[in-house]
Structure formats: structure tokens, C-alpha cells
Amino acid sequence: MQINEGDIFYIIDFEFKNKGAVAKKNKYLIALLTVDETSLLFSLPTSQQYISPARDQEGCIDYPDMGISLYKFPAGKVIGIDGFNFEKDTYIIYRQIFESHAFELD
């Protein structure tokens, strides 16, 4: 499977690394960056809002005092091919970005 930066996948019954602690659930997976020919940086975005509504905005949101940075995609905003958008406000939390080998996703 060829994976490119910006690809968005919908994974049914995604299994988190801490198996058992978190139930499997359907998740989106966004390919953020190609590290080398076989590794990629990914994000599992969330629709859970962990920030103050007063600071909630589209795009980058930074809490330097708390060491938290995230990116918000507003609900309904087209961000992908064929009009793809998230139905709910969706966030990439930078501390939850992980690296994986592309072949592990096949």
C-alpha cells in the first residue's frame, strides 16, 4: 500500500498500543510526514475537546505554559479529496503523534 503525506484512513476496530486499557474503536488515522522511505509520522485525531472554549479556534492552538499544542479542523470544513470533512470538530494533539513503519499498516 502506498501511503502519502496527508492521506486520511478510516480504521475499523483500531487497537491501541495499550491493549485492554482502551477498547477498540473506529478511528481516523492521518499520515503527517514521511520520515524516511519506510517510516511515517501519524496522528489519531480526536473529537474530544480538551481545551478551554475561550481559546478554541480553527488551526493551531498553543498552550506553552502547559506544554500542549494542537491543531483544530472545524466540523464540516472540507480538508480532503471528494469533499472529505470531519462531522465533528476534530483535533490533532501534537504529543499524540507517533511513528510507524508503513508495512505495519497493511
Side-chain angles (χ1 to χ4, degrees):
M1 169 192 309
Q2 176 67 35
I3 299 174
N4 299 302
E5 294 174 10
D7 286 349
I8 302 172
F9 302 93
Y10 187 69
I11 301 173
I12 296 171
D13 289 335
F14 179 84
E15 189 168 335
F16 293 86
K17 286 189 177 193
N18 50 349
K19 298 176 186 177
V22 179
K24 291 181 183 180
K25 61 190 286 189
N26 300 344
K27 292 291 292 179
Y28 284 99
L29 180 79
I30 302 174
L32 299 175
L33 178 70
T34 303
V35 178
D36 56 41
E37 292 183 14
T38 61
S39 294
L40 299 147
L41 291 182
F42 288 96
S43 172
L44 293 168
T46 181
S47 61
Q48 303 301 309
Q49 182 180 354
Y50 296 107
I51 58 172
S52 163
R55 295 180 71 178
D56 194 14
Q57 64 184 28
E58 179 179 349
C60 292
I61 305 169
D62 192 30
Y63 285 87
D65 52 322
M66 297 170 52
I68 299 172
S69 294
L70 47 98
Y71 189 92
K72 176 185 177 181
F73 298 102
K77 180 172 182 172
V78 175
I79 62 166
I81 297 171
D82 297 328
F84 176 83
N85 64 82
F86 292 112
E87 294 178 6
K88 299 178 182 179
D89 288 344
T90 300
Y91 304 85
I92 291 176
I93 301 172
Y94 293 123
R95 69 177 176 204
Q96 294 178 350
I97 292 173
F98 65 96
E99 183 175 353
S100 180
H101 294 286
F103 61 83
E104 294 174 351
L105 300 173
D106 286 336

